[in-house]
Amino acid sequence: MRLKDKVSIITGGASGIGKATVIRFAEEGAKVVFCCRSKDKAAAFMEELKAAGLSENVRYFSCDVSKEEDVIALCEYTKSEFGNCEILFNNAGVHQAGKLHETSLADWDRIMNIDLRGVYLMCYHILPQMIEKQYGSIINMSSVSGIAADYAMCAYNTAKGAITNLTRSMALDYAGDNIRVNAVCPGIIRTEIAEHTFTCVPGSEDMFRDAYPVHYIADPVEVANAVVFLAARESDFITGVNLPIDGGITCHTGQPCTGTY
C-alpha cells in the first residue's frame, strides 16, 4: 500500500474529485480525515465507505475552510485522532462564472474566501505539524484555469492563478523541512459542477469533448490517482510542480487545425 498509515486531510471530500481521492487514499492504506460543509452528504458517503469496507481509518469532520476557527478545530481533531498530519490535499473550492464587471463583490469574496483563503488557512495551521514531523506532502487544487485564462471566469481564474504561484513559493520555503508542495491542474472532469454546466448549456458537453485532444471527459478518479502519486514517497523528488491533468488542452497554441485528425 503506497500510503500505509499516512495521516491525511482532504478538504471538500464528500463529492467529485475529493470523494474519489478519499476512496483512493483509503484503498492505499492512509488514515484519512475528510471535511465538507454538508453533514448529510458526508453521512451518506461514510455509509458508502462502510459498505465497501473502507471506513475503518476514515473520519469526517464538519469544516468550512474559509473560517479559521473551523480549520483550527479540524487540524486539532486530526492530530488527536491519528497524529501529526503528513498529507494535505486542499481540494475544497467553488466555481463562479462572469466577467469582472458582472462579478459582484459578494461573489468575488466567496471565490477568494473558499478557493484561496481556504488553502492559506489549511496550510498555515497544518504546517507546524509537518515541520514538527520533518515530513509532509501538500497537494493544492489548482486548474488549467490557473495556468491560462478562460472567457468570463475572472474571479475563478484569479484564485486558481494565485494557487499556482503559491504552490511554487511554498515549495521553495519548505523544502528544507522535507515538505513537498505541488498542485494538480485538472481540465474538464465529470463532477457535479461540470454536469450542471452540461445541463444548463445545451451542447456544452460535446463542445468540451471536441475541444480536448483526447476527445473525452475524465472521471474524478483520474485526478485522484495523480494526487495519490504526489502524496506517495515515490514522488519524493517532485516539488513545486503544477501538474496539468487535462487531456492535452494546455499543450495547444489555440491555432486552428488545417488538416484531418
Side-chain angles (χ1 to χ4, degrees):
M1 290 186 174
R2 296 153 79 188
L3 303 178
K4 179 67 174 173
D5 294 329
K6 293 294 183 185
V7 180
S8 310
I9 296 175
I10 297 172
T11 66
S15 62
I17 294 168
K19 181 177 180 178
T21 307
V22 171
I23 293 170
R24 287 293 294 115
F25 271 40
E27 290 172 342
E28 294 290 349
K31 296 178 178 179
V32 183
V33 178
F34 76 90
C35 74
C36 74
R37 292 182 295 175
S38 172
K39 294 181 180 179
D40 290 343
K41 189 178 289 186
F45 181 33
M46 284 300 298
E47 289 301 314
E48 290 181 41
L49 291 167
K50 191 177 297 183
L54 295 172
S55 62
E56 182 180 358
N57 287 319
V58 178
R59 306 287 185 271
Y60 162 65
F61 193 87
S62 179
C63 176
D64 179 342
V65 297
S66 70
K67 296 180 178 178
E68 187 172 26
E69 60 271 22
D70 282 16
V71 169
I72 292 171
L74 169 62
C75 296
E76 290 177 346
Y77 172 79
T78 302
K79 185 165 185 171
S80 66
E81 192 72 10
F82 291 131
N84 281 358
C85 179
E86 298 163 276
I87 301 167
L88 169 62
F89 179 31
N90 283 311
N91 170 70
V94 292
H95 182 271
Q96 177 73 44
K99 299 177 183 179
L100 192 141
H101 79 281
E102 299 166 336
T103 303
S104 69
L105 180 58
D107 286 340
W108 178 273
D109 286 347
R110 174 173 168 266
I111 290 287
M112 297 303 159
N113 284 339
I114 297 173
D115 289 27
L116 184 55
R117 174 185 164 95
V119 172
Y120 160 77
L121 286 173
M122 285 302 308
C123 291
Y124 182 84
H125 289 289
I126 215 64
L127 275 165
Q129 293 187 24
M130 293 182 172
I131 291 169
E132 181 180 313
K133 197 171 183 70
Q134 282 293 286
Y135 175 78
S137 177
I138 296 173
I139 303 102
N140 295 324
M141 176 58 78
S142 186
S143 169
V144 293
S145 303
I147 297 173
D150 307 290
Y151 291 104
M153 295 269 282
C154 177
Y156 186 77
N157 285 178
T158 301
K160 293 304 183 181
I163 290 170
T164 294
N165 219 31
L166 174 63
T167 296
R168 298 185 184 109
S169 176
M170 290 177 61
L172 293 174
D173 289 341
Y174 295 101
D177 296 296
N178 200 27
I179 298 168
R180 297 183 297 110
V181 187
N182 295 289
V184 288
C185 302
I188 189 67
I189 308 294
R190 199 172 289 281
T191 62
E192 292 176 2
I193 292 173
E195 294 290 0
H196 178 73
T197 299
F198 299 157
T199 299
C200 294
V201 183
S204 59
E205 183 171 355
D206 289 337
M207 290 169 62
F208 275 101
R209 188 181 291 110
D210 291 345
Y212 280 73
V214 297
H215 297 311
Y216 78 92
I217 295 167
D219 290 323
V221 70
E222 298 194 52
V223 181
N225 287 334
V227 177
V228 169
F229 170 69
L230 291 172
R233 296 306 303 257
E234 64 202 86
S235 63
D236 273 358
F237 202 55
I238 299 174
T239 193
V241 167
N242 288 278
L243 177 64
I245 307 168
D246 67 352
I249 197 167
T250 57
C251 69
H252 182 211
T253 63
Q255 298 184 77
C257 175
T258 57
T260 59
Y261 67 100

